Amino acid sequence: MKPVLALVGRPNVGKSTLFNRLTKSRDAIVADFAGLTRDRHYGNGKQGRQEFIVIDTGGFEPDASTGIYKEMAKQTQQAVAEADMVVFVVDARGGLSAQDHDIAKYLRKIGKPTLLVANKAEGMLEGIQLTEFYELGLGEVIAISAAHGQGTRGLVELAFESLNLPDEPEETEVDPSVIKLAVAGRPNVGKSTLINTWLGEERLVAFDMPGTTRDAISVPFEKQGQKFELIDTAGLRRKGKVFEAIEKFSVVKTLQAIESANVVLLLLDAEQGVTDQDAHIAGYALESGRAMVLAVNKWDAVDEYQRQLVQRSIETRLPFLSFANMHFISAKKRQGLGPVWASIVQAHKAAMCKMSTPILTRLLLEAVQFQSPQRGGMFRPKLRYAHQGGMNPPVIVVHGNSLEHVTDTYKRFLEGRFRKAFNLSGTPLRIEMKTSTNPFADKDAS
């Protein structure tokens, strides 16, 4: 699991600038999840071989009791709860404030591992101006300049050292016959009801397997001879011999579950249609290359007019998931669940599909014969042969000349041909173009 760093502090201390620096992005709004206000944002960072998640928060007032500041405080408290390490950012030039003391008091109370970072410290890294921040009682003060990139690398390294992360990622034996399934969706969409239905009423073989320190829990179970591993995003817990699914939405848990899964079941709400949050979760799953199945829950609770609106909203808001099979279900009444399992198995099969080079090359040449790519400048792209470059998701590498001129439209045309030939429903398919270089180009130039 990726470690999670939460950036916390009062307004205008440079949290968003530090977020952009750590995620190597230009806009702090990397993933804006509707319903969580616009004050908590998530991004991916990487230093060396270690990847991590960064959470950017709004100005924090722990004691706020009314209005927008109360809501912003809730968002920050949620981010702190999700994090492995809190990065408390203060303003080295603005000095210590009463609000800094309030935040420090809150962080000391909850006992979460915390690094105290004095931002905007360019030109004063070895000065005595930072000594006042030791009053906060949070240990060593780390001087950085997020705007100039000074000290940010050391900050991340110190965070990793404090978390005692292994130098090398742990390699665990993976059973290829087990399908890792993540049920993702926003709060109150019915994930808990669906999970309880699977684990209880359908008498699935299940047992509890504790996960990481962040209480991520996986539940192995079996259906019709196929082994699955349910990666929890709904706050699954066990109480005695009864499984309880508690609707506890955590963006971090959802992102980590998606990355750990082979197949993602995205659950939508028929009563509310497709929201921004649904689209963001779907987009993240697609970027992660995960096979996907769509299920529209509470289908029994809406009339024909609402059903048409929902289908239209899926077509307009989630057109990039046209490869995924879609089902209309009622988890509460156990309606339509059988075909969902068939689609999950099919999506996994497609994601792990092996494609031989001769067949791929033949399909490629047949496609070119049927429709040639458009000419780009003086040259027409020449597609010569193709081979498989990876699985989960499947990657097809096409070799030839002048392939930089191949249009996205033509790539989609090729994708359609490959999908139909190998029955790749339920999984994204990536096509990479590799142009051959002229080995005599340098000699001619000389």
Side-chain angles (χ1 to χ4, degrees), residues 279-353:
H280 283 305
I281 294 174
Y284 189 88
L286 180 64
E287 290 177 5
S288 300
R290 298 297 170 254
M292 293 193 68
V293 176
L294 293 179
V296 185
N297 193 26
K298 307 179 186 179
W299 197 242
D300 59 314
V302 296
D303 56 23
E304 184 60 31
Y305 176 72
Q306 179 64 19
R307 290 180 178 183
Q308 293 180 7
L309 290 180
V310 171
Q311 289 176 296
R312 194 173 300 122
S313 68
I314 292 174
E315 293 172 358
T316 56
R317 301 293 302 277
L318 303 176
F320 52 89
L321 295 186
S322 58
F323 62 84
N325 291 332
M326 181 167 56
H327 300 276
F328 305 98
I329 68 171
S330 171
K332 188 175 183 181
K333 296 186 177 180
R334 302 177 61 197
Q335 296 175 353
L337 301 184
V340 175
W341 287 112
S343 291
I344 291 171
V345 173
Q346 164 58 32
H348 180 260
K349 181 180 178 181
M352 307 302 290
C353 177

Side-chain angles (χ1 to χ4, degrees), residues 187-234:
N188 303 318
V189 75
K191 299 190 299 294
S192 300
T193 304
L194 179 61
I195 291 170
N196 278 338
T197 299
W198 286 347
L199 298 179
E201 297 175 26
E202 294 192 3
R203 294 181 227 169
L204 302 178
V205 180
F207 57 92
D208 193 69
M209 180 186 294
T212 67
T213 55
R214 289 182 294 282
D215 293 327
I217 294 177
S218 61
V219 181
F221 60 95
E222 186 174 330
K223 181 175 176 63
Q224 297 177 351
Q226 173 63 57
K227 294 181 179 179
F228 295 87
E229 183 178 326
L230 177 64
I231 303 171
D232 164 43
T233 65

Side-chain angles (χ1 to χ4, degrees), residues 16 19-20 23-31 41-42 56:
S16 294
F19 177 91
N20 291 338
T23 59
K24 296 180 173 62
S25 63
R26 294 190 176 184
D27 188 351
I29 305 178
V30 173
H41 307 298
Y42 297 77
D56 184 27

Side-chain angles (χ1 to χ4, degrees), residues 33 142 179 435:
F33 287 82
I142 305 168
I179 299 176
T435 298

Side-chain angles (χ1 to χ4, degrees), residues 213-267:
T213 55
R214 289 182 294 282
D215 293 327
I217 294 177
S218 61
V219 181
F221 60 95
E222 186 174 330
K223 181 175 176 63
Q224 297 177 351
Q226 173 63 57
K227 294 181 179 179
F228 295 87
E229 183 178 326
L230 177 64
I231 303 171
D232 164 43
T233 65
L236 192 65
R237 299 293 183 271
R238 181 169 183 162
K239 185 177 181 181
K241 295 183 179 180
V242 180
F243 282 92
E244 292 184 350
I246 304 168
E247 198 63 75
K248 178 185 175 184
F249 183 71
S250 165
V251 176
V252 166
K253 285 188 68 176
T254 299
L255 302 186
Q256 291 172 334
I258 288 172
E259 290 180 351
S260 301
N262 301 125
V263 183
V264 175
L265 175 63
L266 178 58
L267 208 58

